[in-house]
Amino acid sequence: MDPWYWISEYIKVFCGYLFLMFLWPSVVFCNHLREKTKSYRFSFCVTAPIVVINTIVLILGLLHGLRPWTVRLFMYGIFVLALCKSLISYLDREYRRMMGAEFPDVRALKGKYRVLVLILLFFLVCYRHAKKAVHFLSFDYLRKLKKCNWQKVRIKIKGQIWNLGSGVSRFFWRYGILMLVLIFGMAYFSYGAFQMPSYGYGDLYIHHKWIYGLIEGNIFLEGIYPEAMHCFIYCMHTLLGIRVYSILLFLQGIHVSVFMVATYFLLRKLFRWRYTPLLVLMLFLTWDLSNADLIHSMFRLQITMPQEFGLHTVFLCVLYLTDYLESKQIKERRGEPLFLFMLSLAAAVMIHFHVVLMIVIVCGGFAVFAWKQVFARENLIPLAAALSGACLIALTPMLGARMQGIPFNASIDWAVGAMSGKESRDLREQHTDTEDTREVKELEETSEGKRKEISITAAVLRSVGEIFDQGYAVLYGRERGAWMFAITAALSVLLWLSGRVVRLRQFHERYAGYRPVILTSVLYVLVYAAPMVGLPDFIPEGRFFAPGHILLLAVMLMPIDFLFCEALRLCSDAVLRIVSFVSLAGIYGIVMATGSFRGFLFYEMSRYNAAVTVTESIINTFPRYSYTVISPTDELYPVIQYGWHEELLTFVENCSKDEYAIPSEYVFIYVEKKPLLYAQSHFFEGSRWMGEEKYLEPFWNMYAMKYPDSGASQSPEILASQISDQDAERELPAYDSAWSMYLQLENRTILESKAYHWCQQFARQHPSVLNVYYEDEDFVCYYFRQDAGSLPYNLGSGK
């Protein structure tokens, strides 16, 4: 398919996201946001729509009133009313400006007179602007230009150009560099969706199913589960007509920019030099990873899933909690950070419970250094009220569903069970291939033999050693981990000593923002190492990586921030800005030159790109519900709102019966001539500036133990088998779950061979009926058309 098709779909999702996440709340809550700061507006816009949409959709679902027209009426109705109110306010101001103070206010006029005046004002304003435009374009205006003093005109034009250049320069240094970093990050995390435009993770099928449940008016389709992301996507689809498949494919690659901006705002508050947060983000986007869990967590940042959708709330909660505890202004102003903290926490609870655990850990690390402010009476009571309010807003729809008899989703039981740490511990203990892990085990065995008497000091040193071995060393390798551990320890000691030396008190206060970041980075490592040292696995599978890794990188760049801050006293601001920009580009250049540049990520490959192309072509070409697609489950949800789907396994089994028919006008049969090794981790390829092909080996060395039936491949290589007549003659093995027929390569090969053999046999029985819709060396799509006025073809063979 033409790549411009996917670009157009990406643009649709991007524009829909901007409308629902930013434009809609900016218009609806314009009075509230009118005099607020940019950071306040941003934080409000990325949390309030999530809370409002989740609450509206779930309450309508509880009342059995969730219909597309009710959602459109509510969302568009509020938006249009807010626009009309803003227009009336503008016309009121125009009326006062034109008529003068001696005339009464238009708002004082009664009903029909006020409406009449507003209509006249509207046409008068339109006429005035149109008259200006016509005057500007008229020949009369041009004749006046000929008679003017061109010397003055040139001077004025030069002044305007100078002012424009100054404005562009100010914008670039304030926001331009941040925008470049955001675009760079969005390109990296959106890249896979263009190279392989298919669901890259199995969880997306179940999320699509739940969104489809909302479209049908059913909330909590498979049990109670945080539904904020599903409600948001449902509204994008219902209000703007964007396909759910396209939204799930591209949304997270766009939304990750919100996570990076939230990170920027928090680090901007904690660091002394305003460009250090950009250096942290650039290092996060370019620095290489060697740990399989970190690679997997980075991979998740490109997939539209609830946890990743809510990561920005972690840093927003921390930001506004610290703002609230530090503020000593009037109550109205203190209420702003507390309100945004409540809003961010409510959004987090609505999106995913693991995000809430991250908030508890990160906020706890920051609250340790402000415990007096936390427990002060004037702070504690409002803070407790905000916490209660956030939980009440978020959990009320879930409690309502539970009262109606809806059970909790099974994945919540999995999350609770995973906290024991057994799953993570078993996986890491099995992984003995890497040199780092062997060294860790040898060190443990050696130290165990020498350890006879354990004093308090020895116990502490042992704990620190275990944290290093199972945390820093496993996450980043022994050499890098040692450097990171050393810098963290050195900064901790320096800040501790500076608080106890009178001459260094000023230094301690100036860089007080470093302390909570250091503590939280250590907590991040502790959370990862917890199951290996006998503690519960609070956040399994390294899911805490994104916020934790960023905070650890922030610790690594604290010496740079200190140097820039101190250099500000000696150098001009303009010089340091240029040096900062050069440093930003230098990070990119250094990691590439030293071989530490990031690698390409992967998708779990479940179908050929040709199958995606054919499915999109069928949806865009044929009338709705005029066709049936016969394929594995992967085509079910892309076509569910547009046509019918028949499982390939069901089709092959039914074709052996005497009577079997599919009643739709068109029937499309997907056959893989080279059956895929299903859900193989397929790593991307691309230009050198984007990444390197290096993550396959470190990732699959560990995850091969977790997924023994799967595999990993580096594009353009694809792990697949070959259909044959011999496999077509074999019997389908017995199975407990139909999914195993697609998952295991041997079973899939038999199934695809039988489907191909049937197509060839059907073509011989019905010449000129079966046609090829698409074919290449890996995949073929057959189709035939059935006359609506006669009986459908009997597809059974009687065998």
Side-chain angles (χ1 to χ4, degrees):
M1 181 173 287
D2 187 355
W4 287 105
Y5 171 78
W6 294 115
I7 294 173
S8 66
E9 289 295 297
Y10 184 88
I11 293 172
K12 288 179 186 177
V13 176
F14 184 76
C15 294
Y17 178 80
L18 291 180
F19 170 79
L20 203 56
M21 187 68 88
F22 293 99
L23 181 59
W24 189 88
S26 298
V27 172
V28 172
F29 301 100
C30 61
N31 289 334
H32 176 73
L33 299 174
R34 179 165 290 129
E35 296 181 357
K36 298 298 190 294
T37 62
K38 292 181 178 64
S39 60
Y40 185 99
R41 294 178 184 179
F42 169 83
S43 304
F44 182 88
C45 287
V46 298
T47 52
I50 296 173
V51 174
V52 172
I53 290 171
N54 181 81
T55 304
I56 292 170
V57 172
L58 294 186
I59 288 179
L60 286 174
L62 290 173
L63 299 176
H64 306 288
L66 183 58
R67 301 290 184 273
W69 68 267
T70 58
V71 175
R72 293 189 190 110
L73 179 64
F74 188 89
M75 298 294 291
Y76 280 135
I78 292 180
F79 185 76
V80 171
L81 287 175
L83 275 178
C84 292
K85 186 178 179 181
S86 300
L87 178 62
I88 290 172
S89 299
Y90 170 73
L91 293 176
D92 281 346
R93 291 194 299 271
E94 286 293 308
Y95 171 83
R96 298 296 296 168
R97 189 182 67 80
M98 291 188 298
M99 304 305 291
E102 65 273 10
F103 285 85
D105 194 334
V106 70
R107 288 172 291 186
L109 298 176
K110 295 184 178 180
K112 58 183 181 181
Y113 298 108
R114 183 183 180 188
V115 173
L116 181 61
V117 170
L118 289 175
I119 293 174
L120 291 174
L121 278 172
F122 176 75
F123 284 108
L124 181 61
V125 170
C126 292
Y127 169 75
R128 191 178 64 190
H129 289 298
K131 186 178 179 182
K132 286 183 178 179
V134 171
H135 176 67
F136 180 80
L137 298 174
S138 65
F139 289 103
D140 181 60
Y141 184 75
L142 294 176
R143 283 195 297 270
K144 290 181 179 179
L145 282 178
K146 291 180 181 179
K147 298 178 182 179
C148 68
N149 189 335
W150 286 104
Q151 182 75 17
K152 293 181 179 179
V153 171
R154 282 194 294 270
I155 294 173
K156 189 172 183 179
I157 291 175
K158 287 181 180 179
Q160 294 294 332
I161 294 174
W162 177 263
N163 292 335
L164 178 63
S166 300
V168 170
S169 176
R170 288 194 299 270
F171 178 84
F172 176 77
W173 291 112
R174 286 184 180 180
Y175 312 110
I177 301 178
L178 175 61
M179 290 178 64
L180 290 176
V181 174
L182 295 181
I183 293 171
F184 185 62
M186 289 171 61
Y188 180 62
F189 290 112
S190 300
Y191 180 73
F194 288 97
Q195 186 167 103
M196 202 170 75
S198 185
Y199 286 165
Y201 198 51
D203 287 6
L204 287 184
Y205 294 105
I206 193 65
H207 292 306
H208 196 150
K209 181 179 181 180
W210 293 349
I211 295 166
Y212 182 69
L214 294 176
I215 295 172
E216 294 292 302
N218 301 317
I219 61 172
F220 303 124
L221 190 62
E222 294 190 350
I224 297 172
Y225 186 89
E227 287 262 45
M229 186 195 79
H230 309 109
C231 295
F232 186 87
I233 295 174
Y234 164 72
C235 278
M236 282 186 68
H237 169 73
T238 302
L239 297 178
L240 305 170
I242 306 172
R243 289 184 56 202
V244 174
Y245 181 80
S246 297
I247 298 173
L248 284 172
L249 191 63
F250 294 117
L251 180 62
Q252 185 56 34
I254 298 168
H255 184 67
V256 73
S257 61
V258 171
F259 169 65
M260 290 190 285
V261 174
T263 304
Y264 172 80
F265 281 140
L266 176 63
L267 298 181
R268 180 72 183 86
K269 174 183 174 60
L270 300 173
F271 282 130
R272 300 290 297 177
W273 178 240
R274 62 178 176 270
Y275 294 108
T276 309
L278 297 176
L279 300 179
V280 175
L281 288 175
M282 194 64 180
L283 196 59
F284 172 74
L285 292 173
T286 57
W287 198 37
D288 187 21
L289 302 172
S290 58
N291 178 272
D293 286 331
L294 299 193
I295 296 171
H296 188 263
S297 297
M298 186 71 86
F299 146 79
R300 289 175 62 97
L301 285 177
Q302 64 184 343
I303 306 295
T304 306
M305 291 188 293
Q307 177 184 291
E308 283 61 39
F309 187 75
L311 284 179
H312 66 286
T313 61
V314 176
F315 288 147
L316 292 180
C317 282
V318 177
L319 173 64
Y320 291 107
L321 176 63
T322 54
D323 275 354
Y324 170 70
L325 296 176
E326 293 174 0
S327 61
K328 298 180 181 179
Q329 301 169 353
I330 58 176
K331 292 184 178 179
E332 288 77 6
R333 288 296 180 185
R334 293 196 70 208
E336 290 181 358
L338 187 63
F339 172 69
L340 286 178
F341 169 75
M342 181 185 73
L343 207 58
S344 302
L345 182 59
V349 178
M350 291 175 174
I351 295 172
H352 202 277
F353 293 143
H354 275 149
V355 177
V356 180
L357 291 177
M358 296 180 200
I359 290 173
V360 171
I361 294 170
V362 179
C363 286
F366 278 72
V368 166
F369 297 96
W371 65 271
K372 290 183 179 179
Q373 292 93 323
V374 171
F375 290 101
R377 186 175 60 180
E378 62 273 13
N379 292 336
L380 184 60
I381 295 176
L383 191 58
L387 289 169
S388 303
C391 294
L392 181 65
I393 294 170
L395 297 177
T396 296
M398 299 184 192
L399 295 175
R402 191 69 189 92
M403 292 174 65
Q404 290 186 1
I406 301 175
F408 287 100
N409 184 263
S411 61
I412 296 179
D413 296 332
W414 169 85
V416 174
M419 285 186 176
S420 65
K422 184 178 185 304
E423 183 178 350
S424 297
R425 191 160 46 249
D426 291 345
L427 181 62
R428 295 183 205 173
E429 286 176 351
Q430 291 175 20
H431 179 52
T432 59
D433 293 335
T434 64
E435 182 180 351
D436 289 339
T437 310
R438 289 197 297 268
E439 290 179 0
V440 168
K441 289 192 172 183
E442 291 173 2
L443 182 62
E444 288 178 348
E445 291 173 0
T446 304
S447 59
E448 189 67 30
K450 297 179 179 178
R451 198 177 292 123
K452 296 181 179 180
E453 296 182 359
I454 302 179
S455 61
I456 296 177
T457 304
V460 172
L461 292 176
R462 177 188 175 187
S463 300
V464 172
E466 287 181 348
I467 292 170
F468 172 76
D469 291 337
Q470 302 298 338
Y472 291 94
V474 175
L475 281 168
Y476 301 102
R478 296 198 67 83
E479 184 177 350
R480 286 185 183 178
W483 277 104
M484 300 176 93
F485 181 80
I487 293 174
T488 303
L491 288 172
S492 302
V493 172
L494 178 61
L495 290 171
W496 181 79
L497 290 176
S498 65
R500 280 153 179 76
V501 179
V502 177
R503 294 182 179 179
L504 297 178
R505 283 290 171 84
Q506 188 176 4
F507 171 88
H508 182 78
E509 294 175 359
R510 184 183 304 155
Y511 299 101
Y514 290 179
R515 295 177 297 164
V517 179
I518 293 173
L519 177 60
T520 311
S521 71
V522 174
L523 292 177
Y524 150 65
V525 177
L526 281 173
V527 167
Y528 182 81
M532 302 305 294
V533 295
L535 298 175
D537 194 7
F538 292 103
I539 306 177
E541 298 179 341
R543 296 188 179 195
F544 191 28
F545 159 73
H549 181 59
I550 283 179
L551 292 174
L552 187 53
L553 293 179
V555 175
M556 299 302 103
L557 290 181
M558 283 177 181
I560 305 297
D561 182 69
F562 169 77
L563 291 176
F564 274 114
C565 182
E566 297 301 319
L568 188 60
R569 303 179 182 183
L570 304 175
C571 303
S572 67
D573 184 74
V575 172
L576 289 181
R577 284 186 301 184
I578 296 174
V579 173
S580 299
F581 182 72
V582 172
S583 301
L584 198 67
I587 290 176
Y588 181 78
I590 290 171
V591 295
M592 290 189 70
T594 58
S596 300
F597 192 42
R598 68 188 181 190
F600 284 109
L601 299 174
F602 66 94
Y603 268 7
E604 289 187 355
M605 192 174 188
S606 57
R607 54 181 175 157
Y608 286 106
N609 283 351
V612 181
T613 300
V614 169
T615 302
E616 295 298 312
S617 176
I618 293 170
I619 292 172
N620 295 327
T621 304
F622 294 87
R624 280 194 173 194
Y625 298 107
S626 66
Y627 54 86
T628 299
V629 173
I630 299 171
S631 73
T633 312
D634 304 281
E635 270 70 36
L636 170 61
Y637 293 109
V639 304
I640 197 169
Q641 293 178 258
Y642 309 96
W644 309 104
H645 180 267
E646 181 88 345
E647 286 291 333
L648 184 64
L649 176 60
T650 305
F651 173 78
V652 169
E653 290 179 331
N654 288 339
C655 282
S656 63
K657 299 179 180 178
D658 292 331
E659 297 290 336
Y660 174 51
I662 296 176
S664 62
E665 181 180 359
Y666 297 93
V667 177
F668 295 87
I669 307 170
Y670 290 16
V671 179
E672 294 173 359
K673 294 192 289 185
K674 292 182 179 179
L676 278 171
L677 175 59
Y678 189 79
Q680 59 183 280
S681 299
H682 187 66
F683 285 81
F684 309 132
E685 61 178 345
S687 302
R688 178 73 173 82
W689 69 269
M690 177 70 74
E692 298 178 358
E693 299 173 4
K694 61 193 308 182
Y695 280 167
L696 187 150
E697 183 177 350
F699 174 80
W700 198 242
N701 280 347
M702 175 179 285
Y703 276 82
M705 303 167 191
K706 188 173 184 179
Y707 305 110
D709 292 327
S710 188
S713 58
Q714 177 66 63
S715 181
E717 175 196 2
I718 296 175
L719 301 180
S721 62
Q722 181 71 49
I723 60 173
S724 64
D725 293 336
Q726 292 79 8
D727 286 317
E729 296 298 326
R730 296 171 62 184
E731 292 293 330
L732 287 172
Y735 57 88
D736 297 327
S737 170
W739 192 250
S740 64
M741 297 301 296
Y742 302 134
L743 184 64
Q744 297 179 3
L745 185 57
E746 181 181 1
N747 297 348
R748 192 181 184 99
T749 303
I750 297 173
L751 186 63
E752 297 286 355
S753 297
K754 286 181 174 293
Y756 185 80
H757 178 74
W758 180 93
C759 291
Q760 303 305 311
Q761 188 178 40
F762 184 81
R764 289 191 293 268
Q765 294 174 354
H766 303 276
S768 73
V769 172
L770 190 67
N771 302 288
V772 175
Y773 190 80
Y774 174 89
E775 184 174 13
D776 59 28
E777 62 180 5
D778 302 321
F779 171 84
V780 60
C781 173
Y782 297 105
Y783 82 101
F784 59 88
R785 184 177 183 182
Q786 305 181 112
D787 190 351
S790 60
L791 294 174
Y793 290 104
N794 179 23
L795 307 180
S797 62
K799 294 182 179 179

